[in-house]
Amino acid sequence: MAGWVLCMTLVLAALAGAVGESRYEKFLRQHVDYPRTSTLAAHRYCETMLARRRVTAPGRPCKPSNTFVHAPARDLVAACTQAPDATGFQSTPTAMGITACRLRGGDTRPPCAYRARQVQHHVRVACRDGLPVHLAGTYAPPQ
């Protein structure tokens, strides 16, 4: 019995270390690519970055969409100082370069194939303790 308890304690400790990133660190890993990573084949940017950043992985369903922001993290942190909108999200004060990745087709089983679109948009985030922790969406600057 003592051996089983020790084994479970070690397994749980290992798992805790593997998931030890904060919500802000996870946000950065999944959404910030500054400066923009150049890939060997530009049309493979989404597949490359989503795999490299561990957003997609073999054996897991493909994420339907993901957005990469090509601005310094401090510019996204600045959004957390803005007044929240009616839904409680805060927006970056200026538009920034983003790459919006959308899954091609409707099948979420790997291999994952994405369509990339590069635009200049404002970014909407949810903040906790003054840091962005969730990318809620983007929108074009007013014309």
Side-chain angles (χ1 to χ4, degrees), residues 96-110:
M96 46 192 58
I98 68 163
T99 300
C101 302
R102 302 285 180 259
L103 188 62
R104 292 180 198 224
D107 195 353
T108 60
R109 291 176 293 174

Side-chain angles (χ1 to χ4, degrees), residues 108-122:
T108 60
R109 291 176 293 174
C112 308
Y114 290 87
R115 179 173 291 109
R117 190 175 73 130
Q118 293 183 32
V119 293
Q120 289 284 125
H121 273 191
H122 290 271

